[in-house]
Amino acid sequence: MWICECGILQDVSLQCAKGCDVVFASCLSACRRANMAASGCRGVRSILWKYGSYGNNLFVSRSKMVPQLPLRQIYVASSLWKKNLAAAGPQKFTQEFIDKQVEEFEVGKRHLANMMGEDPETFTQEDIDRSIAYLFPSGLFEKRARPVMKHPEEIFPKQTAIQWDAEGRPFHFLFYTGKQSYYSLLHDVYEKILAIERHQDKMRNKGLFTSDTKQILLTGSRWLLKEEIEENLVENISVQDYMRLIQLMELLLSMPYCSLEEEFILKFRKQLEVQSSKYEIPALQYDPQGVAFSVADGRRKSAKASITLRDSGSGNITINGRNYLHYFPVLQNREQLMFPLLFVGMMGRFDIEGSVEGSGHSAQAGALRLAISRALLSFVSEGEVEKMRQAGLLTADPRIRERKKPGQEGARKKFTWKKR
Amino acid sequence: MQCYGFIGLKHTITHNAALFLTLSGRSSKGNMAAGVLTGVRQVLRGPRLVSAVFSCHGQTFSSAAAAPDTAAAEKILNFPLTQPDYFRLSELFTLKDLFEARVHLGHKKGCRHRLMEPYLFGSRLDTDIIDLEQTAEHLQRALNFTAHVAYRGGIILFVSRRRQFGHLIETTARECGEYAHTRYWKGGLLTNASIQYSPGVRLPDLILFFSTLNNVFQQHVGIRDAAKMNIPTVGIVDSNCNPSLITYPVPGNDDTPVAMEMYCRLFKMTINRAKDKRRQMELLKGISASV
């Protein structure tokens, strides 16, 4: 074994993998004399034994090589010496390089305009694309593989701007933590907590401390999600970091005088939209007698239903021209029809006229129920609409029949399993 | 929504007079060693490490073209090194102040680190008492070194892993215009800096440890990393800490709020004094540091 000039412990091969020449001329000449190939190790061993004391030829003698020690052959894979390209990460470009590319793009744009016989001053990106498509016609299907000439801003990935000044001093005082925006946010939140504590102490000293102060309204809003906070901070944070931030905000909220920092806290809360406002309520119509009625549709599995709900009625239900007792002999289906009216408490008020087709009796009952609920929206107040939504009356049942799969008896049932 | 993201300007590192000044300062290692260390007891590893720092700390700037008055610029940098206490830091604190800030209180006898025994005065009711005379000397040296580094425009990083004082230290660092790191120390911050940050990043020139232990009572990784990267360190070592790898250890209490506030105040005053002095000198000589 010996150590070549780049400091790598060498095995019996004569040349270092990095390509630098082995330093020991004496060893080299001796090896050449012995007609050494890379494989023959016994010959080298004997020579190394003879030239045991390396003396001044040795560049670095880390271990005192005693000639009597048996020499071990170490095999090292060549992949160790190759550069690990994956570990370097995405390629980074310097600002000078990008500026040069921009310059070249501008010059090239003018050349292109001249080539196409157009005015270089008013040559837009669409003109460039057109010209390139004309000059370099490509039959490739993949649009992204075709020749393209775009501004370097669009081609090179955006990198964060240099975060220090001309002398190398970073701008932000928490730069060396790695996550400067996130930690500075934590710092500010803690600052506010301390400010509120000081305020509390002042009030206590004056004897004006009370626990029932103006509280911040938090109903109807939620904390910002981790992704939204990452977007605001322009840097990535981990789940634990996010949880720590929410913990600190909750701590801030738990203090009696937190209303001092209300607007700061509300920046981190997002208002939830009221879901019930999303439903389109069918218009309330009036027939020639002045009676109000509304029409609505509903679907379940493959059953389609259409309902007309008439006001000032006596609770008669007619489906497909027949009385509902005749159409739905099963009690469960009749209960499904009743339920929306029972829920809003308008049982005997309406006359229902409906038509339904498709699927089976249960699905038809479900379709009718949805249609009745939707028709009821125009007779009912805003708060009731929200209640109906939460009761699940306005949600269309998404379940459909699952397909049969090959190799199985049905959708889930498998063929008989035989052990052998 | 107040944006915490950094939207910076594109800066290119320009070669200017300031760089020349820093570079010329770096070359005068012998003077530095002589100027900084005073007093009877000299920490032997101090001067060698300091000189090693200034010769090895890699800045890849090439020397700029000759600044208009190089002699004056050199004088600005070299003159403070000839004086033992150029920034008059001995008037910032007295032994009595240290005592009243409870700097002499160490941990219990069982927590004592073997290498801290030279710095201890003794122990009373099982509590170790730190020798304040030694502390005063070490603190004087540490403050002097910090002042010189700040005078020459070095980057100073305040490090501590005590959650009780993290906010205080970050505030102190911000007020002096320096940098702080009181959070979880990621593995290769110093040793793998070109990948953790960006290729051309400048590492701190001095690291101040306000507590050398981390939250599990082991030595802070930053001490070993700074030693690896040839960055000098100043550290407040309590009686349960290991002072070996720290360039300018200051034996003292790191648990009491009064003591920590005092240290923060002292370091802030030193750095501000040094920076003001530098600005004053430059105004006097009529050289502007920034182009």
Side-chain angles (χ1 to χ4, degrees), chain B residues 60-93:
Chain B
T60 54
F61 311 123
S62 58
S63 57
D69 29 1
T70 48
E74 271 197 42
K75 193 149 176 264
I76 284 185
L77 286 180
N78 294 342
F79 179 67
L81 302 175
T82 57
Q83 319 268 296
D85 193 10
Y86 184 68
F87 301 98
R88 296 195 312 273
L89 299 166
S90 41
E91 51 188 51
L92 285 181
F93 67 95

Side-chain angles (χ1 to χ4, degrees), chain B:
Chain B
M1 168 74 197
Q2 181 192 357
C3 187
Y4 280 90
F6 174 70
I7 307 163
L9 308 166
K10 290 179 198 164
H11 285 278
T12 49
I13 298 171
T14 54
H15 306 305
N16 55 23
L19 299 180
F20 176 73
L21 292 170
T22 0
L23 194 65
S24 65
R26 291 259 147 85
S27 59
S28 56
K29 22 185 189 184
N31 291 346
M32 183 73 189
V36 162
L37 297 166
T38 66
V40 178
R41 259 181 264 178
Q42 294 211 359
V43 177
L44 285 176
R45 65 169 181 275
R48 263 187 265 130
L49 204 61
V50 163
S51 53
V53 159
F54 283 100
S55 53
C56 310
H57 194 48
Q59 300 279 341
T60 54
F61 311 123
S62 58
S63 57
D69 29 1
T70 48
E74 271 197 42
K75 193 149 176 264
I76 284 185
L77 286 180
N78 294 342
F79 179 67
L81 302 175
T82 57
Q83 319 268 296
D85 193 10
Y86 184 68
F87 301 98
R88 296 195 312 273
L89 299 166
S90 41
E91 51 188 51
L92 285 181
F93 67 95
T94 59
L95 218 68
K96 190 158 190 298
D97 292 338
L98 291 180
F99 181 79
E100 276 163 10
R102 309 189 211 166
V103 165
H104 59 288
L105 298 172
H107 287 272
K108 291 281 185 181
K109 187 173 72 178
C111 297
R112 192 192 303 165
H113 193 109
R114 212 187 129 162
L115 295 171
M116 286 299 289
E117 279 163 17
Y119 300 119
L120 297 179
F121 188 69
S123 83
R124 161 88 177 140
L125 296 171
D126 268 2
T127 309
D128 288 333
I129 306 294
I130 298 169
D131 188 359
L132 282 183
E133 287 180 352
Q134 290 188 54
T135 300
E137 271 185 54
H138 282 90
L139 187 57
Q140 166 67 25
R141 252 182 252 156
L143 289 176
N144 198 9
F145 184 73
T146 317
H148 281 275
V149 171
Y151 180 84
R152 296 161 98 86
I155 293 180
I156 302 179
L157 185 64
F158 288 54
V159 175
S160 167
R161 202 54 185 102
R162 298 212 53 141
R163 288 177 55 167
Q164 201 180 354
F165 309 115
H167 185 87
L168 170 68
I169 289 166
E170 285 185 345
T171 322
T172 317
R174 190 165 55 178
E175 282 163 9
C176 332
E178 297 296 340
Y179 308 86
H181 186 104
T182 57
R183 309 285 177 170
Y184 175 74
W185 183 278
K186 265 173 107 179
L189 281 189
L190 295 180
T191 43
N192 202 14
S194 57
I195 296 181
Q196 292 270 350
Y197 310 110
S198 279
V201 74
R202 180 177 158 187
L203 287 180
D205 300 306
L206 171 66
I207 302 187
L208 299 180
F209 284 94
F210 283 83
S211 163
T212 53
L213 297 181
N214 62 16
N215 287 341
V216 279
F217 299 105
Q218 287 167 345
Q219 197 185 41
H220 199 288
V221 176
I223 297 176
R224 188 203 67 188
D225 284 355
K228 276 191 189 176
M229 302 301 289
N230 282 344
I231 299 173
T233 40
V234 166
I236 314 275
V237 280
D238 205 345
S239 62
N240 58 350
C241 307
N242 181 356
S244 337
L245 282 177
I246 302 168
T247 334
Y248 290 93
V250 176
N253 187 7
D254 62 6
D255 300 291
T256 323
V258 200
M260 289 302 272
E261 276 165 22
M262 200 193 77
Y263 297 135
C264 287
R265 203 181 58 237
L266 284 176
F267 280 102
K268 188 166 80 160
M269 278 158 73
T270 0
I271 293 172
N272 285 336
R273 256 196 206 192
K275 289 186 172 173
D276 291 338
K277 192 78 193 183
R278 177 59 182 264
R279 254 175 264 141
Q280 200 186 29
M281 295 294 272
E282 277 173 359
L283 278 172
L284 282 175
K285 304 287 178 183
I287 304 172
S288 63
S290 57
V291 170

